[in-house]
Amino acid sequence: PDTDAAAAAADRNGQLTKPPAALGRLEDLAQWYAGWRGNGRPALENPQVVIFAGNHGVAAKGVSAFPPEVTVQMVANFEHGGAAINQLSKAFGAKMDVHAIDLDRPTGDFTETPAMDDADVLAALLTGWNAVDPQADLLVTGEMGIGNTTAAAAIAHALYGGTAQDWVGRGTGVDDAGLTLKAQVVADGVARHKGGDGLDTLARLGGREIAAMAGAILRARVEGIPVILDGFICCSAAACLQAVAPDALDHCVAGHVSAESAHPALLAKLGKEPLLSLGLRLGEGSGAALAIGVLKGAVACHSGMATFAEAGVSAG
Amino acid sequence: PDTDAAAAAADRNGQLTKPPAALGRLEDLAQWYAGWRGNGRPALENPQVVIFAGNHGVAAKGVSAFPPEVTVQMVANFEHGGAAINQLSKAFGAKMDVHAIDLDRPTGDFTETPAMDDADVLAALLTGWNAVDPQADLLVTGEMGIGNTTAAAAIAHALYGGTAQDWVGRGTGVDDAGLTLKAQVVADGVARHKGGDGLDTLARLGGREIAAMAGAILRARVEGIPVILDGFICCSAAACLQAVAPDALDHCVAGHVSAESAHPALLAKLGKEPLLSLGLRLGEGSGAALAIGVLKGAVACHSGMATFAEAGVSAG
């Protein structure tokens, strides 16, 4: 971040017509945003939502409440404007792009082989990298991929330990038997692929859409584009980056805490306090897109309010 | 609310392209909104923010960190577009109106006399009633009034008991001595004016801007306009209505929980779960205005998403 811009934003914040700190987290958000944008009085006008879709070999194990063909069906729904994320992107003035990555070629079933080889994971990272519009001033990364809460749980279990049960949840809605199976699948995968760094974990246990989100988050940092993280799967992608470099997510805020049971623990590992807690568990970037409104409000107040001097208000 | 519209909304919600309940509270919000709008597939296009300002006799007791002249100064700031609520209204597409009510004639100091007589409170209620645009499809009521967290605390203490300390907080930022003084003032006022119903409490301990918010909330119900409640002071106005009729706030949601210390307890008394918790404590309707984004997102998803049948997605 740009320390001069952050300092200018802090100075401005202290002069605005409100009691000190009366806008709470909005003040912190605006100053964080100003620092990453390199502008003490920034605008937020061009948010971008990018959705990546991938298919997972491990879905064949029966870990999801929905069949794998739903991934490609939902991509068509995104393209035709019918999904939740289409409505939320429009509501908050974000442009939205969808990248379906090799849907006819699922990743390997990680209980048997690595999900991706080096070429595969690199291609997915680059898809994410190239998907970011350098002119965007905010990025939301979302995903679609039947089976991907299983991959995300495996990543979290591999990076942070505990038990497989600690990290699995009901995803789109598996029953108790499905949850038990999911924990066994995650335990098997992590036992097979233990060791390695964050990028090794991403390749062996992740998925193409998860790797693409990681690539996009990394590109955003290089471009000075702040990121709003979405739910459990998006955060598992972010966790792989943080495992490699502890400050890799300084340009990111957590948009929400989802109803997926391990998301609070994953956010705690990332050191991120969510902006919203509304029980969403849809993915697609939906929780993060909803949080665009909060960030827009924060930046609008910071950059649009009058100072005490400008407004002739007594400063108390 | 319109039970046919609510039923139609529930039916539609069950067909949308998402796992059941995956949009969490957004689904409940959209169905609640549909019921009050009498439309199973509503739009949210004309939100109105109304700000009322009043001055308080009790401010002379030194219960605020800011001097009383800040009320009129901030009204000018609202009118010139420089306050936080101006930026938030613009960010969420709301029209904003400001009503300064008899600022040169503060209410009575409730430690000595009733804050308002019958004619005064009726006039303020009517100002609120008449301020609502019947064409609006959502209402946020906000306020400005140096000393009004003291009035709000007195209302809550009178309605709900406990001790004065339970209900006072730092408002715009009083120190420990100020907080002790504020509790004493609240205790004195409530001891002097105990008894009576919710409207008696509103008149004796409230203020013109608080009564106006109550009038506006009531009018919105009659017009079928859902309301987003703001912070501690707005909720004290709402509490007076609920004390008269337990279902008086069924058309209202709580926009946020503020950093004012007694706001969580007041929301619990109202039976309202806040949509946001971001540490705001500014008033002006700011927290509720920020929550317009959440409600817009909820309604956009509900009314804009494709059904499984329309999108050709397998329903799992």
Side-chain angles (χ1 to χ4, degrees), chain A residues 15-17 306-315:
Chain A
Q15 299 178 48
L16 299 176
T17 44
T307 63
F308 280 105
E310 287 165 356
V313 173
S314 306

Side-chain angles (χ1 to χ4, degrees), chain A residues 20 22 25 73 82 278 281 306 314, chain B residues 20 22 25 73 82 278 281 306 314:
Chain A
R25 284 192 73 187
Q73 293 167 349
L278 294 166
R281 52 176 178 79
S314 306
Chain B
R25 283 192 74 187
Q73 293 167 348
L278 294 165
R281 53 175 179 77
S314 307

